[in-house]
Amino acid sequence: MDWLTILTTTVHAAIGWEVVVYGLAAIGVNIHFGYTGLLNFGQAAFMAVAGYGLAVTIVVIGLPFWVGILVGLAGAVLLALLLGVPTLRLRADYLAIVTIAAAEIIRLIFRSVAFKETFGGSDGRRGFNNDFYAINPFPPGHYGIGPFGFNERTFWLLVVGWVTLAVCCAVVYLLMKSPWGRVLKAIREDEEAVRSLGKNVFSYKMQSLILGGVIGALGGFFYGLYNGSVQPDVFGTEMTFFAYTIVILGGAARVLGPVVGAMVFWVLFVFIGNFLSEAVRAGYITVITETQVGPIRYALVGLGFILLLVFRPQGIFGDKREIALDAR
């Protein structure tokens, strides 16, 4: 077996672009679910709106890169308002129903033939990351030690991505230590008690939904910038479920939980897949073929997280009381 290849891909997965994308998505979910108790199952929609906002602004309209960033963020704020206004005064499970439906509606709109000239249909949009790499200060070359490194383009994206992750974690830490954050956690524990103290619960929930959606939208930007394209089917419900898995793995309502959870999630995901592929290729495993490794990898990772929820539901850093939601 090629252990060097397995080790190299695993190390890359621990700090790679997937951790940046899903870490940001999970930070947003952590604000919604972990701190406020909002069941937002449409985080992929915020990521899709941001990614397509950037792509359409540059490719279709022809505006500069930074305008595309602002358009994507504005789209995430607008989506949060559209989802929150009719649902946040109702029970928590109504938000879950609306957001998972809205995420699918948005995906189908981006995929629609009727809007193909704008969104590109099932092929999506591509070729909008040139301006981002044009400001890359790193000259061409290899950055790392031996095989454990990246080219200048990926290294630039990772530097910006990890700085963004650090800033988001710092913002969440400061906010949750502030009176505003304490109100959010109080809403999660007992919404009626907070309302009896004269707080506008709807306003705080809306602010939480917008903040978490905007941070999740940053993940949509980095996905598009790394791949140089956005396709509607990428932003399916599994993206949101991965973000929830990462939050629970790292620990709900913990500042670093989403980042550590994303690292562990992708290390396990990549390691299991590459280990099984190498074992099949070397003849150590003969009961499956290499094409069957993908589905089996999902099954094994899923089984591992089921066991995690059984034996340590609070995750790595969390407290199991943080995920005991009251959906009244």
PDB file of all heavy atoms in Angstrom, residues 114-148:
ATOM      1  N   ALA A 114     -35.226  27.855 -17.844  1.00  0.00           N
ATOM      2  CA  ALA A 114     -35.786  29.180 -18.095  1.00  0.00           C
ATOM      3  C   ALA A 114     -34.793  30.291 -17.759  1.00  0.00           C
ATOM      4  O   ALA A 114     -34.843  31.375 -18.345  1.00  0.00           O
ATOM      5  CB  ALA A 114     -37.069  29.358 -17.286  1.00  0.00           C
ATOM      6  N   PHE A 115     -33.898  30.038 -16.802  1.00  0.00           N
ATOM      7  CA  PHE A 115     -32.922  31.055 -16.401  1.00  0.00           C
ATOM      8  C   PHE A 115     -31.505  30.666 -16.822  1.00  0.00           C
ATOM      9  O   PHE A 115     -30.535  31.120 -16.214  1.00  0.00           O
ATOM     10  CB  PHE A 115     -32.967  31.251 -14.888  1.00  0.00           C
ATOM     11  CG  PHE A 115     -34.308  31.692 -14.369  1.00  0.00           C
ATOM     12  CD1 PHE A 115     -35.147  30.789 -13.735  1.00  0.00           C
ATOM     13  CD2 PHE A 115     -34.733  33.000 -14.533  1.00  0.00           C
ATOM     14  CE1 PHE A 115     -36.389  31.183 -13.261  1.00  0.00           C
ATOM     15  CE2 PHE A 115     -35.962  33.410 -14.065  1.00  0.00           C
ATOM     16  CZ  PHE A 115     -36.804  32.502 -13.425  1.00  0.00           C
ATOM     17  N   LYS A 116     -31.406  29.842 -17.868  1.00  0.00           N
ATOM     18  CA  LYS A 116     -30.089  29.336 -18.252  1.00  0.00           C
ATOM     19  C   LYS A 116     -29.147  30.444 -18.695  1.00  0.00           C
ATOM     20  O   LYS A 116     -27.936  30.385 -18.453  1.00  0.00           O
ATOM     21  CB  LYS A 116     -30.241  28.298 -19.359  1.00  0.00           C
ATOM     22  CG  LYS A 116     -28.930  27.587 -19.699  1.00  0.00           C
ATOM     23  CD  LYS A 116     -29.144  26.422 -20.642  1.00  0.00           C
ATOM     24  CE  LYS A 116     -27.820  25.693 -20.884  1.00  0.00           C
ATOM     25  NZ  LYS A 116     -27.992  24.500 -21.749  1.00  0.00           N
ATOM     26  N   GLU A 117     -29.670  31.475 -19.354  1.00  0.00           N
ATOM     27  CA  GLU A 117     -28.808  32.555 -19.809  1.00  0.00           C
ATOM     28  C   GLU A 117     -28.176  33.303 -18.645  1.00  0.00           C
ATOM     29  O   GLU A 117     -27.101  33.896 -18.787  1.00  0.00           O
ATOM     30  CB  GLU A 117     -29.600  33.522 -20.687  1.00  0.00           C
ATOM     31  CG  GLU A 117     -30.015  32.934 -22.036  1.00  0.00           C
ATOM     32  CD  GLU A 117     -30.643  33.968 -22.940  1.00  0.00           C
ATOM     33  OE1 GLU A 117     -30.695  35.162 -22.531  1.00  0.00           O
ATOM     34  OE2 GLU A 117     -31.099  33.604 -24.035  1.00  0.00           O
ATOM     35  N   THR A 118     -28.846  33.294 -17.501  1.00  0.00           N
ATOM     36  CA  THR A 118     -28.319  33.992 -16.331  1.00  0.00           C
ATOM     37  C   THR A 118     -27.482  33.073 -15.457  1.00  0.00           C
ATOM     38  O   THR A 118     -26.334  33.392 -15.123  1.00  0.00           O
ATOM     39  CB  THR A 118     -29.464  34.588 -15.489  1.00  0.00           C
ATOM     40  OG1 THR A 118     -30.228  35.481 -16.305  1.00  0.00           O
ATOM     41  CG2 THR A 118     -28.917  35.347 -14.295  1.00  0.00           C
ATOM     42  N   PHE A 119     -28.037  31.921 -15.093  1.00  0.00           N
ATOM     43  CA  PHE A 119     -27.375  31.038 -14.126  1.00  0.00           C
ATOM     44  C   PHE A 119     -26.638  29.867 -14.766  1.00  0.00           C
ATOM     45  O   PHE A 119     -25.925  29.140 -14.067  1.00  0.00           O
ATOM     46  CB  PHE A 119     -28.397  30.513 -13.120  1.00  0.00           C
ATOM     47  CG  PHE A 119     -29.106  31.598 -12.355  1.00  0.00           C
ATOM     48  CD1 PHE A 119     -30.488  31.708 -12.392  1.00  0.00           C
ATOM     49  CD2 PHE A 119     -28.401  32.527 -11.616  1.00  0.00           C
ATOM     50  CE1 PHE A 119     -31.152  32.697 -11.697  1.00  0.00           C
ATOM     51  CE2 PHE A 119     -29.045  33.531 -10.919  1.00  0.00           C
ATOM     52  CZ  PHE A 119     -30.431  33.620 -10.960  1.00  0.00           C
ATOM     53  N   GLY A 120     -26.836  29.633 -16.054  1.00  0.00           N
ATOM     54  CA  GLY A 120     -26.107  28.573 -16.738  1.00  0.00           C
ATOM     55  C   GLY A 120     -26.736  27.213 -16.678  1.00  0.00           C
ATOM     56  O   GLY A 120     -26.125  26.229 -17.119  1.00  0.00           O
ATOM     57  N   GLY A 121     -27.942  27.094 -16.101  1.00  0.00           N
ATOM     58  CA  GLY A 121     -28.608  25.799 -16.032  1.00  0.00           C
ATOM     59  C   GLY A 121     -27.835  24.791 -15.202  1.00  0.00           C
ATOM     60  O   GLY A 121     -27.183  25.136 -14.213  1.00  0.00           O
ATOM     61  N   SER A 122     -27.887  23.527 -15.601  1.00  0.00           N
ATOM     62  CA  SER A 122     -27.212  22.469 -14.844  1.00  0.00           C
ATOM     63  C   SER A 122     -25.696  22.564 -14.939  1.00  0.00           C
ATOM     64  O   SER A 122     -24.981  21.990 -14.107  1.00  0.00           O
ATOM     65  CB  SER A 122     -27.667  21.096 -15.343  1.00  0.00           C
ATOM     66  OG  SER A 122     -27.374  20.944 -16.728  1.00  0.00           O
ATOM     67  N   ASP A 123     -25.190  23.291 -15.934  1.00  0.00           N
ATOM     68  CA  ASP A 123     -23.742  23.459 -16.073  1.00  0.00           C
ATOM     69  C   ASP A 123     -23.192  24.530 -15.144  1.00  0.00           C
ATOM     70  O   ASP A 123     -21.985  24.566 -14.884  1.00  0.00           O
ATOM     71  CB  ASP A 123     -23.388  23.824 -17.521  1.00  0.00           C
ATOM     72  CG  ASP A 123     -23.713  22.695 -18.485  1.00  0.00           C
ATOM     73  OD1 ASP A 123     -23.634  21.524 -18.058  1.00  0.00           O
ATOM     74  OD2 ASP A 123     -24.055  22.985 -19.646  1.00  0.00           O
ATOM     75  N   GLY A 124     -24.038  25.416 -14.661  1.00  0.00           N
ATOM     76  CA  GLY A 124     -23.591  26.461 -13.764  1.00  0.00           C
ATOM     77  C   GLY A 124     -22.799  27.543 -14.480  1.00  0.00           C
ATOM     78  O   GLY A 124     -22.901  27.732 -15.689  1.00  0.00           O
ATOM     79  N   ARG A 125     -21.995  28.264 -13.690  1.00  0.00           N
ATOM     80  CA  ARG A 125     -21.158  29.326 -14.221  1.00  0.00           C
ATOM     81  C   ARG A 125     -19.715  29.076 -13.827  1.00  0.00           C
ATOM     82  O   ARG A 125     -19.430  28.544 -12.750  1.00  0.00           O
ATOM     83  CB  ARG A 125     -21.604  30.688 -13.678  1.00  0.00           C
ATOM     84  CG  ARG A 125     -22.884  31.210 -14.310  1.00  0.00           C
ATOM     85  CD  ARG A 125     -22.673  31.521 -15.774  1.00  0.00           C
ATOM     86  NE  ARG A 125     -23.904  31.961 -16.429  1.00  0.00           N
ATOM     87  CZ  ARG A 125     -24.013  32.130 -17.720  1.00  0.00           C
ATOM     88  NH1 ARG A 125     -22.978  31.896 -18.512  1.00  0.00           N
ATOM     89  NH2 ARG A 125     -25.148  32.529 -18.250  1.00  0.00           N
ATOM     90  N   ARG A 126     -18.800  29.474 -14.696  1.00  0.00           N
ATOM     91  CA  ARG A 126     -17.384  29.267 -14.424  1.00  0.00           C
ATOM     92  C   ARG A 126     -16.580  30.466 -14.924  1.00  0.00           C
ATOM     93  O   ARG A 126     -17.101  31.334 -15.623  1.00  0.00           O
ATOM     94  CB  ARG A 126     -16.887  27.985 -15.086  1.00  0.00           C
ATOM     95  CG  ARG A 126     -16.971  27.990 -16.606  1.00  0.00           C
ATOM     96  CD  ARG A 126     -16.570  26.644 -17.187  1.00  0.00           C
ATOM     97  NE  ARG A 126     -17.537  25.607 -16.852  1.00  0.00           N
ATOM     98  CZ  ARG A 126     -17.284  24.618 -15.995  1.00  0.00           C
ATOM     99  NH1 ARG A 126     -16.113  24.540 -15.380  1.00  0.00           N
ATOM    100  NH2 ARG A 126     -18.203  23.711 -15.745  1.00  0.00           N
ATOM    101  N   GLY A 127     -15.303  30.503 -14.541  1.00  0.00           N
ATOM    102  CA  GLY A 127     -14.402  31.531 -15.033  1.00  0.00           C
ATOM    103  C   GLY A 127     -14.537  32.871 -14.353  1.00  0.00           C
ATOM    104  O   GLY A 127     -14.390  33.906 -15.011  1.00  0.00           O
ATOM    105  N   PHE A 128     -14.812  32.875 -13.044  1.00  0.00           N
ATOM    106  CA  PHE A 128     -14.982  34.152 -12.338  1.00  0.00           C
ATOM    107  C   PHE A 128     -13.966  34.359 -11.212  1.00  0.00           C
ATOM    108  O   PHE A 128     -14.123  35.283 -10.401  1.00  0.00           O
ATOM    109  CB  PHE A 128     -16.401  34.249 -11.757  1.00  0.00           C
ATOM    110  CG  PHE A 128     -16.787  33.078 -10.890  1.00  0.00           C
ATOM    111  CD1 PHE A 128     -16.481  33.047  -9.549  1.00  0.00           C
ATOM    112  CD2 PHE A 128     -17.449  31.994 -11.444  1.00  0.00           C
ATOM    113  CE1 PHE A 128     -16.839  31.974  -8.759  1.00  0.00           C
ATOM    114  CE2 PHE A 128     -17.808  30.904 -10.663  1.00  0.00           C
ATOM    115  CZ  PHE A 128     -17.496  30.892  -9.310  1.00  0.00           C
ATOM    116  N   ASN A 129     -12.951  33.495 -11.137  1.00  0.00           N
ATOM    117  CA  ASN A 129     -11.987  33.620 -10.037  1.00  0.00           C
ATOM    118  C   ASN A 129     -10.656  34.241 -10.457  1.00  0.00           C
ATOM    119  O   ASN A 129      -9.715  34.282  -9.672  1.00  0.00           O
ATOM    120  CB  ASN A 129     -11.733  32.249  -9.401  1.00  0.00           C
ATOM    121  CG  ASN A 129     -11.169  31.234 -10.389  1.00  0.00           C
ATOM    122  OD1 ASN A 129     -11.084  31.516 -11.589  1.00  0.00           O
ATOM    123  ND2 ASN A 129     -10.810  30.066  -9.906  1.00  0.00           N
ATOM    124  N   ASN A 130     -10.563  34.732 -11.683  1.00  0.00           N
ATOM    125  CA  ASN A 130      -9.289  35.272 -12.151  1.00  0.00           C
ATOM    126  C   ASN A 130      -8.868  36.517 -11.371  1.00  0.00           C
ATOM    127  O   ASN A 130      -7.681  36.709 -11.070  1.00  0.00           O
ATOM    128  CB  ASN A 130      -9.372  35.605 -13.650  1.00  0.00           C
ATOM    129  CG  ASN A 130      -9.530  34.357 -14.505  1.00  0.00           C
ATOM    130  OD1 ASN A 130      -9.058  33.278 -14.137  1.00  0.00           O
ATOM    131  ND2 ASN A 130     -10.207  34.480 -15.633  1.00  0.00           N
ATOM    132  N   ASP A 131      -9.827  37.379 -11.038  1.00  0.00           N
ATOM    133  CA  ASP A 131      -9.494  38.601 -10.295  1.00  0.00           C
ATOM    134  C   ASP A 131      -8.968  38.277  -8.897  1.00  0.00           C
ATOM    135  O   ASP A 131      -8.106  38.991  -8.375  1.00  0.00           O
ATOM    136  CB  ASP A 131     -10.720  39.505 -10.192  1.00  0.00           C
ATOM    137  CG  ASP A 131     -11.098  40.118 -11.524  1.00  0.00           C
ATOM    138  OD1 ASP A 131     -10.254  40.104 -12.431  1.00  0.00           O
ATOM    139  OD2 ASP A 131     -12.233  40.614 -11.662  1.00  0.00           O
ATOM    140  N   PHE A 132      -9.493  37.207  -8.305  1.00  0.00           N
ATOM    141  CA  PHE A 132      -9.027  36.823  -6.971  1.00  0.00           C
ATOM    142  C   PHE A 132      -7.570  36.374  -7.024  1.00  0.00           C
ATOM    143  O   PHE A 132      -6.743  36.776  -6.188  1.00  0.00           O
ATOM    144  CB  PHE A 132      -9.909  35.698  -6.420  1.00  0.00           C
ATOM    145  CG  PHE A 132      -9.413  35.112  -5.123  1.00  0.00           C
ATOM    146  CD1 PHE A 132      -9.583  35.792  -3.935  1.00  0.00           C
ATOM    147  CD2 PHE A 132      -8.775  33.871  -5.095  1.00  0.00           C
ATOM    148  CE1 PHE A 132      -9.127  35.251  -2.730  1.00  0.00           C
ATOM    149  CE2 PHE A 132      -8.320  33.332  -3.912  1.00  0.00           C
ATOM    150  CZ  PHE A 132      -8.499  34.022  -2.728  1.00  0.00           C
ATOM    151  N   TYR A 133      -7.225  35.555  -7.990  1.00  0.00           N
ATOM    152  CA  TYR A 133      -5.851  35.081  -8.100  1.00  0.00           C
ATOM    153  C   TYR A 133      -4.915  36.139  -8.683  1.00  0.00           C
ATOM    154  O   TYR A 133      -3.696  36.026  -8.548  1.00  0.00           O
ATOM    155  CB  TYR A 133      -5.802  33.800  -8.928  1.00  0.00           C
ATOM    156  CG  TYR A 133      -6.411  32.621  -8.205  1.00  0.00           C
ATOM    157  CD1 TYR A 133      -7.622  32.061  -8.627  1.00  0.00           C
ATOM    158  CD2 TYR A 133      -5.800  32.085  -7.085  1.00  0.00           C
ATOM    159  CE1 TYR A 133      -8.183  30.987  -7.955  1.00  0.00           C
ATOM    160  CE2 TYR A 133      -6.356  31.011  -6.410  1.00  0.00           C
ATOM    161  CZ  TYR A 133      -7.547  30.470  -6.846  1.00  0.00           C
ATOM    162  OH  TYR A 133      -8.106  29.419  -6.175  1.00  0.00           O
ATOM    163  N   ALA A 134      -5.478  37.171  -9.314  1.00  0.00           N
ATOM    164  CA  ALA A 134      -4.645  38.253  -9.840  1.00  0.00           C
ATOM    165  C   ALA A 134      -4.003  39.067  -8.722  1.00  0.00           C
ATOM    166  O   ALA A 134      -2.953  39.691  -8.932  1.00  0.00           O
ATOM    167  CB  ALA A 134      -5.478  39.166 -10.736  1.00  0.00           C
ATOM    168  N   ILE A 135      -4.615  39.073  -7.531  1.00  0.00           N
ATOM    169  CA  ILE A 135      -4.037  39.813  -6.405  1.00  0.00           C
ATOM    170  C   ILE A 135      -3.212  38.899  -5.498  1.00  0.00           C
ATOM    171  O   ILE A 135      -2.854  39.279  -4.384  1.00  0.00           O
ATOM    172  CB  ILE A 135      -5.141  40.512  -5.585  1.00  0.00           C
ATOM    173  CG1 ILE A 135      -6.162  39.490  -5.051  1.00  0.00           C
ATOM    174  CG2 ILE A 135      -5.856  41.557  -6.423  1.00  0.00           C
ATOM    175  CD1 ILE A 135      -7.219  40.096  -4.148  1.00  0.00           C
ATOM    176  N   ASN A 136      -2.898  37.703  -5.973  1.00  0.00           N
ATOM    177  CA  ASN A 136      -2.097  36.751  -5.207  1.00  0.00           C
ATOM    178  C   ASN A 136      -0.665  37.292  -5.042  1.00  0.00           C
ATOM    179  O   ASN A 136       0.045  37.484  -6.023  1.00  0.00           O
ATOM    180  CB  ASN A 136      -2.076  35.402  -5.930  1.00  0.00           C
ATOM    181  CG  ASN A 136      -1.281  34.346  -5.181  1.00  0.00           C
ATOM    182  OD1 ASN A 136      -0.815  34.574  -4.064  1.00  0.00           O
ATOM    183  ND2 ASN A 136      -1.121  33.191  -5.793  1.00  0.00           N
ATOM    184  N   PRO A 137      -0.204  37.510  -3.798  1.00  0.00           N
ATOM    185  CA  PRO A 137       1.147  38.049  -3.601  1.00  0.00           C
ATOM    186  C   PRO A 137       2.237  36.987  -3.659  1.00  0.00           C
ATOM    187  O   PRO A 137       3.425  37.332  -3.664  1.00  0.00           O
ATOM    188  CB  PRO A 137       1.066  38.659  -2.198  1.00  0.00           C
ATOM    189  CG  PRO A 137       0.071  37.795  -1.478  1.00  0.00           C
ATOM    190  CD  PRO A 137      -0.945  37.390  -2.523  1.00  0.00           C
ATOM    191  N   PHE A 138       1.851  35.703  -3.708  1.00  0.00           N
ATOM    192  CA  PHE A 138       2.845  34.630  -3.687  1.00  0.00           C
ATOM    193  C   PHE A 138       3.280  34.287  -5.107  1.00  0.00           C
ATOM    194  O   PHE A 138       2.437  34.004  -5.965  1.00  0.00           O
ATOM    195  CB  PHE A 138       2.279  33.388  -3.005  1.00  0.00           C
ATOM    196  CG  PHE A 138       1.840  33.629  -1.583  1.00  0.00           C
ATOM    197  CD1 PHE A 138       0.492  33.718  -1.260  1.00  0.00           C
ATOM    198  CD2 PHE A 138       2.781  33.796  -0.578  1.00  0.00           C
ATOM    199  CE1 PHE A 138       0.084  33.950   0.033  1.00  0.00           C
ATOM    200  CE2 PHE A 138       2.383  34.026   0.731  1.00  0.00           C
ATOM    201  CZ  PHE A 138       1.035  34.114   1.035  1.00  0.00           C
ATOM    202  N   PRO A 139       4.566  34.284  -5.370  1.00  0.00           N
ATOM    203  CA  PRO A 139       5.049  33.932  -6.713  1.00  0.00           C
ATOM    204  C   PRO A 139       4.842  32.450  -7.002  1.00  0.00           C
ATOM    205  O   PRO A 139       4.666  31.648  -6.072  1.00  0.00           O
ATOM    206  CB  PRO A 139       6.540  34.285  -6.654  1.00  0.00           C
ATOM    207  CG  PRO A 139       6.891  34.211  -5.205  1.00  0.00           C
ATOM    208  CD  PRO A 139       5.663  34.639  -4.455  1.00  0.00           C
ATOM    209  N   PRO A 140       4.861  32.048  -8.262  1.00  0.00           N
ATOM    210  CA  PRO A 140       4.686  30.629  -8.600  1.00  0.00           C
ATOM    211  C   PRO A 140       5.712  29.753  -7.894  1.00  0.00           C
ATOM    212  O   PRO A 140       6.883  30.106  -7.789  1.00  0.00           O
ATOM    213  CB  PRO A 140       4.872  30.600 -10.113  1.00  0.00           C
ATOM    214  CG  PRO A 140       4.516  31.978 -10.561  1.00  0.00           C
ATOM    215  CD  PRO A 140       4.971  32.889  -9.468  1.00  0.00           C
ATOM    216  N   GLY A 141       5.252  28.611  -7.402  1.00  0.00           N
ATOM    217  CA  GLY A 141       6.144  27.692  -6.712  1.00  0.00           C
ATOM    218  C   GLY A 141       5.382  26.759  -5.805  1.00  0.00           C
ATOM    219  O   GLY A 141       4.144  26.725  -5.802  1.00  0.00           O
ATOM    220  N   HIS A 142       6.138  25.992  -5.038  1.00  0.00           N
ATOM    221  CA  HIS A 142       5.577  25.009  -4.105  1.00  0.00           C
ATOM    222  C   HIS A 142       5.760  25.536  -2.687  1.00  0.00           C
ATOM    223  O   HIS A 142       6.867  25.915  -2.295  1.00  0.00           O
ATOM    224  CB  HIS A 142       6.295  23.664  -4.272  1.00  0.00           C
ATOM    225  CG  HIS A 142       5.812  22.609  -3.328  1.00  0.00           C
ATOM    226  ND1 HIS A 142       4.682  21.862  -3.569  1.00  0.00           N
ATOM    227  CD2 HIS A 142       6.309  22.168  -2.145  1.00  0.00           C
ATOM    228  CE1 HIS A 142       4.509  21.004  -2.574  1.00  0.00           C
ATOM    229  NE2 HIS A 142       5.488  21.178  -1.697  1.00  0.00           N
ATOM    230  N   TYR A 143       4.684  25.543  -1.912  1.00  0.00           N
ATOM    231  CA  TYR A 143       4.736  26.071  -0.552  1.00  0.00           C
ATOM    232  C   TYR A 143       4.404  24.944   0.416  1.00  0.00           C
ATOM    233  O   TYR A 143       3.265  24.507   0.520  1.00  0.00           O
ATOM    234  CB  TYR A 143       3.752  27.232  -0.388  1.00  0.00           C
ATOM    235  CG  TYR A 143       4.148  28.428  -1.226  1.00  0.00           C
ATOM    236  CD1 TYR A 143       3.752  28.528  -2.559  1.00  0.00           C
ATOM    237  CD2 TYR A 143       4.944  29.430  -0.692  1.00  0.00           C
ATOM    238  CE1 TYR A 143       4.128  29.607  -3.337  1.00  0.00           C
ATOM    239  CE2 TYR A 143       5.331  30.526  -1.456  1.00  0.00           C
ATOM    240  CZ  TYR A 143       4.916  30.611  -2.777  1.00  0.00           C
ATOM    241  OH  TYR A 143       5.303  31.684  -3.543  1.00  0.00           O
ATOM    242  N   GLY A 144       5.421  24.484   1.116  1.00  0.00           N
ATOM    243  CA  GLY A 144       5.263  23.384   2.044  1.00  0.00           C
ATOM    244  C   GLY A 144       6.552  22.613   2.182  1.00  0.00           C
ATOM    245  O   GLY A 144       7.632  23.075   1.780  1.00  0.00           O
ATOM    246  N   ILE A 145       6.458  21.413   2.758  1.00  0.00           N
ATOM    247  CA  ILE A 145       7.618  20.550   2.961  1.00  0.00           C
ATOM    248  C   ILE A 145       7.400  19.268   2.164  1.00  0.00           C
ATOM    249  O   ILE A 145       6.498  18.475   2.479  1.00  0.00           O
ATOM    250  CB  ILE A 145       7.816  20.223   4.450  1.00  0.00           C
ATOM    251  CG1 ILE A 145       8.001  21.519   5.244  1.00  0.00           C
ATOM    252  CG2 ILE A 145       9.006  19.301   4.648  1.00  0.00           C
ATOM    253  CD1 ILE A 145       8.048  21.284   6.747  1.00  0.00           C
ATOM    254  N   GLY A 146       8.240  19.062   1.147  1.00  0.00           N
ATOM    255  CA  GLY A 146       8.119  17.856   0.339  1.00  0.00           C
ATOM    256  C   GLY A 146       6.741  17.744  -0.274  1.00  0.00           C
ATOM    257  O   GLY A 146       6.212  18.706  -0.852  1.00  0.00           O
ATOM    258  N   PRO A 147       6.101  16.575  -0.147  1.00  0.00           N
ATOM    259  CA  PRO A 147       4.767  16.396  -0.724  1.00  0.00           C
ATOM    260  C   PRO A 147       3.675  17.111   0.079  1.00  0.00           C
ATOM    261  O   PRO A 147       2.551  17.238  -0.398  1.00  0.00           O
ATOM    262  CB  PRO A 147       4.558  14.877  -0.686  1.00  0.00           C
ATOM    263  CG  PRO A 147       5.404  14.422   0.466  1.00  0.00           C
ATOM    264  CD  PRO A 147       6.607  15.321   0.477  1.00  0.00           C
ATOM    265  N   PHE A 148       4.021  17.571   1.287  1.00  0.00           N
ATOM    266  CA  PHE A 148       3.030  18.218   2.146  1.00  0.00           C
ATOM    267  C   PHE A 148       3.019  19.722   1.854  1.00  0.00           C
ATOM    268  O   PHE A 148       3.560  20.530   2.616  1.00  0.00           O
ATOM    269  CB  PHE A 148       3.323  17.957   3.621  1.00  0.00           C
ATOM    270  CG  PHE A 148       3.425  16.504   3.954  1.00  0.00           C
ATOM    271  CD1 PHE A 148       4.660  15.913   4.149  1.00  0.00           C
ATOM    272  CD2 PHE A 148       2.298  15.715   4.049  1.00  0.00           C
ATOM    273  CE1 PHE A 148       4.770  14.566   4.446  1.00  0.00           C
ATOM    274  CE2 PHE A 148       2.393  14.364   4.334  1.00  0.00           C
ATOM    275  CZ  PHE A 148       3.630  13.788   4.527  1.00  0.00           C
TER     276      PHE A 148
END
